[in-house]
Amino acid sequence: MNEMKYYRDLVAQRERIEAFRRAIHAVVKPGDKVLDVGSALGTFAFFAADAGASVVWAVDVDPVIHVAKAIGRLNGYEDRIEFIRGWLPDVEIPGKADVIIFEDFPPQMLGGREFRLLRAVHERYAVSGVRAVPQAGVLCAAPVSSETLHAQLAPFGAAETAFDIDWSPSREYAVNTPLNVGIDPAALLAPGERVGTVRLDRPPQLESVSGSATWSSERDADVHGLAYWFDLDLGGEQRLSNAPGAEPGSWGHLFLPIDPPLEVRAGSEIRAKVGATARGDGAPGWLTWEVEAGEERRTGHAFRSAPASLADVTEGSPDSVPLLDRRGELELKVLALTDGIRSIRDIAGEVVAERGSLTQAEAERLVARVLRHKIGVGYGLAAAAERGGP
Ligand SMILES: C[S@@+](CC[C@H](N)C(=O)[O-])C[C@H]1O[C@@H](n2cnc3c(N)ncnc32)[C@H](O)[C@@H]1O
């Protein structure tokens, strides 16, 4: 990926950025302290400073934050914005935020990663009564009838055969896979209904991503699944949505398939539930969905999309005894040698002494890559190595 193109393209999403700008001006009050989580080129941090924030902590784990800093300096923001390269919630912030800004959402808005990040952001960095941009998101679903999407799940046709081989054992995995694909709004059998509400101005709750809804089908059709998206309330009466047909920019929406399809008549009732399993720490895990029409019921569970043997599943149990593979042993060695005294050259030298098959230059690249991925340092050398450099 050309990262700078990605980040510049984000800023070029005019509709999304304008809506955030208006919301930030409505929510941020003069003198506020603001935390911009995942600031990238600093866009929302600049808006928060314009709105009168006394200090903005613009944090991003990606080195793009150095470019944000240069832009900040050029445009006279240096006195009010602190650009911090680091991984939240690990970095220290010298104060508590009155406003948090966050928009790095997956298509379902709140997966395990976002849940944990937002929970930690509230615990560590926010005043009580913190405001947020966006302040909330409504999770929506609607029944979908689309032969095109259904055909994506059944590329071999109903018989599941191709090249004289029956592929049917793979079908269940496919039909339990939430798909991040464009859904034609004409495929919706009824307008979206709310199946959850996620608030960002308070710590996230698992229950907020689970709910049910009922629709009346607008026509005779086969129901092939659910469309699943979120409508954001940014604050200041600004709204953005990743519904089928909307074009806010970066977030996709999901198609939650069912199989076989459910036949419905115009006016007949369709009921559905969408939710997520709980992980050990209370964060949302696998997406689950259920669709009913008349006496018929279909279910989907993202866990069933993951090919795993019993051994794969038990491997992660608390009783299992883990063992490092060769790569793990090497990473362990590199990390153990990272003592604040040895240089990358020194560490690589010790790796070469142990693994005669590597040259010094290869070992240096390898060490840089391990450090980059495990502790986020050595970026320049690792980036050069990934591009086939020195
Ligand atoms: C989609 S970009 C959003 C950029 C910007 N807010 C915008 O809307 O244009 C998300 C950014 O969040 C950063 N990010 C994600 N998780 C993070 C974390 N836990 N700590 C720091 N940065 C994070 C990524 O590196 C990425 O640059």
Side-chain angles (χ1 to χ4, degrees):
M1 175 172 64
N2 177 336
E3 289 197 5
M4 199 45 70
K5 175 164 177 16
Y6 166 73
Y7 283 119
R8 284 164 57 87
D9 284 350
L10 282 180
V11 182
Q13 294 170 352
R14 286 207 80 88
E15 187 194 337
R16 182 180 72 92
I17 300 289
E18 281 291 357
F20 267 91
R21 181 153 74 131
R22 285 191 289 264
I24 288 167
H25 276 271
V27 173
V28 174
K29 306 282 171 237
D32 274 346
K33 299 183 170 72
V34 177
L35 173 61
D36 183 14
V37 179
S39 191
L41 281 175
T43 320
F44 300 156
F46 301 138
F47 298 161
D50 289 344
S54 58
V55 57
V56 185
W57 298 296
V59 185
D60 206 298
V61 66
D62 194 283
V64 69
I65 200 70
H66 302 312
V67 184
K69 185 170 181 171
I71 297 168
R73 194 183 308 128
L74 179 69
N75 290 277
Y77 287 101
E78 258 198 325
D79 54 334
R80 285 157 295 157
I81 306 181
E82 208 179 309
F83 297 92
I84 303 169
R85 181 171 173 217
W87 179 253
L88 290 165
D90 295 346
V91 290
E92 293 295 328
I93 305 284
K96 298 259 184 190
D98 304 295
V99 179
I100 51 180
I101 303 174
F102 177 76
E103 67 78 68
D104 195 17
F105 299 117
Q108 75 270 34
M109 190 174 169
L110 198 70
R113 183 194 82 93
E114 301 69 40
F115 184 98
R116 292 188 183 108
L117 175 56
L118 288 168
R119 181 169 58 189
V121 162
H122 277 275
E123 264 169 27
R124 287 206 56 189
Y125 307 120
V127 297
S128 78
V130 69
R131 284 159 278 141
V133 179
Q135 54 190 30
V138 173
L139 306 178
C140 299
V144 169
S145 182
S146 166
E147 293 294 347
T148 317
L149 289 173
H150 187 64
Q152 287 196 22
L153 301 173
F156 317 127
E160 285 287 329
T161 53
F163 308 108
D164 294 327
I165 293 171
D166 181 348
W167 302 91
S168 53
S170 62
R171 185 177 177 111
E172 187 182 351
Y173 297 96
V175 299
N176 284 286
T177 305
L179 293 180
N180 181 354
V181 286
I183 300 173
D184 180 352
L188 302 187
L189 290 174
E193 292 287 343
R194 192 183 77 85
V195 288
T197 303
V198 173
R199 295 206 60 105
L200 280 94
D201 55 2
R202 57 195 67 165
Q205 305 288 324
L206 177 67
E207 305 74 54
S208 67
V209 302
S210 295
S212 56
T214 303
W215 302 263
S216 170
S217 180
E218 288 174 354
R219 56 182 188 270
D220 294 357
D222 283 339
V223 184
H224 296 109
L226 297 172
Y228 187 47
W229 70 89
F230 52 87
D231 291 340
L232 291 178
D233 173 359
L234 300 185
E237 301 188 355
Q238 300 302 309
R239 287 171 206 286
L240 281 175
S241 171
N242 63 339
E247 281 194 44
S250 53
W251 318 291
H253 46 241
L254 291 180
F255 173 60
L256 307 178
I258 57 169
D259 189 58
L262 284 172
E263 215 183 304
V264 292
R265 297 251 159 236
S268 62
E269 192 177 91
I270 304 167
R271 298 171 298 281
K273 280 186 197 161
V274 184
T277 57
R279 296 191 198 227
D281 63 355
W286 306 97
L287 263 183
T288 62
W289 57 103
E290 204 178 292
V291 186
E292 284 182 343
E295 299 301 302
E296 297 277 325
R297 179 168 167 268
R298 307 277 185 270
T299 61
H301 197 307
F303 178 69
R304 298 204 295 260
S305 71
S309 66
L310 192 59
D312 291 326
V313 175
T314 53
E315 226 168 44
S317 92
D319 295 329
S320 67
V321 180
L323 191 64
L324 286 177
D325 60 10
R326 228 174 117 69
R327 176 159 191 94
E329 280 170 7
L330 190 74
E331 289 180 350
L332 181 66
K333 180 160 182 81
V334 170
L335 292 176
L337 291 169
T338 303
D339 56 3
I341 299 167
R342 289 174 172 89
S343 66
I344 287 180
R345 184 176 298 110
D346 298 337
I347 299 172
E350 300 207 25
V351 170
V352 171
E354 194 179 292
R355 299 234 171 141
S357 57
L358 287 175
T359 66
Q360 174 71 20
E362 282 168 347
E364 284 171 11
R365 284 202 293 270
L366 193 145
V367 170
R369 259 204 301 272
V370 171
L371 294 178
R372 158 93 171 115
H373 289 129
K374 298 295 168 194
I375 58 173
V377 302
Y379 177 78
L381 189 54
E386 275 160 16
R387 293 185 186 113

